[in-house]
């Protein structure tokens, strides 16, 4: 029995449609009980600028560009296998620029969605990390840098609950101004929302996060592009 909220196939379907710029693009599936499933999709010509073909057993993935602001790692052995990381280059590219928004989420789709809302729609620069431990460490190294943090509830290594608790402890110990932390979750139950709020989150946002909510946060916190 596998747990979850049933968003996986919907997210994959949206990614395929976006890659092809076609709402009719789809995913094909072949499944055999006891052996597993194979999922296939096609990408329109010209979407992928370059592909480095490697052997299937190789552990080395070459970077390719799917869109100007997205760096993706792809291994090719007859079929594409999409790996991390959406938006990873944005953290590196903007590392020398002043940013005040941090995204902490292990989902490429969620990261990319927020980056589109913040960077493309609102012109706000962002830094990105992929687990709670990385979120705490980057805040610790850059105290008072971030005005707004989007913190995912469920991440590997360290979850969002613990990361928020550590950030609040750090703020209290050093007498820092409280950063606004928006806890993000695909779960709609009160338990997850209460856990985020009790850990120190200022609000809880349910995924997918609407542009209007992000825009209001940016406006209320007076975050400038």
């Amino acid at each position: 029995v596998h747990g979850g909220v049933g968003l996986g196939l919907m997210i994959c379907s949206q990614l395929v449609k976006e890659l092809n710029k076609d709402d009719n693009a789809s995913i094909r599936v072949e499944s055999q009980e006891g052996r597993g499933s194979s999922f296939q999709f096609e990408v329109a010509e010209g979407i992928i600028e370059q592909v480095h073909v490697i052997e299937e057993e190789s552990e080395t993935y070459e970077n390719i560009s799917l869109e100007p602001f997205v760096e993706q790692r792809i291994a090719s052995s007859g079929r594409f296998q999409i790996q991390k990381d959406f938006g990873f280059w944005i953290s590196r590219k903007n590392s020398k620029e002043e940013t005040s928004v941090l995204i902490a989420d292990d989902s490429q789709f969620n990261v990319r969605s927020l980056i589109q809302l913040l960077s493309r729609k609102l012109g706000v620069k962002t830094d990105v990390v992929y687990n709670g431990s990385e979120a705490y460490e980057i805040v610790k190294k850059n105290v008072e840098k971030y005005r707004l943090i989007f913190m995912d509830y469920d991440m590997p290594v360290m979850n969002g609950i613990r990361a928020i608790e550590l950030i609040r402890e750090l703020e209290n110990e050093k007498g820092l101004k409280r950063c606004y932390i928006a806890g993000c979750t695909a779960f709609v139950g009160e338990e997850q929302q209460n856990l985020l709020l009790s850990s120190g989150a200022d609000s809880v946002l349910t995924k997918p996060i609407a542009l209007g909510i992000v825009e209001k946060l940016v406006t209320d916190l007076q975050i400038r592009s």
Side-chain angles (χ1 to χ4, degrees), residues 14-32:
Q14 290 177 347
L15 284 173
V16 171
K17 290 175 181 178
E18 188 168 347
L19 283 170
N20 285 281
K21 307 300 181 185
D22 182 359
D23 289 338
N24 295 317
S26 61
I27 301 174
R28 299 184 298 277
V29 59
E30 299 174 0
S31 185
Q32 187 172 348

Side-chain angles (χ1 to χ4, degrees), residues 18 22 28 31 36 43 46 83 85 91 101 104 136 141 148-149 155 171 177 179 183 185 198 214 225:
E18 188 168 347
D22 182 359
R28 299 184 298 277
S31 185
V43 178
Q83 308 288 333
D85 288 307
S91 281
V101 178
Y136 171 67
K141 292 177 182 177
L148 171 61
I149 299 176
M155 293 181 287
E171 290 173 339
K177 184 177 179 181
C179 170
T185 177
S198 63
V214 176
S225 58

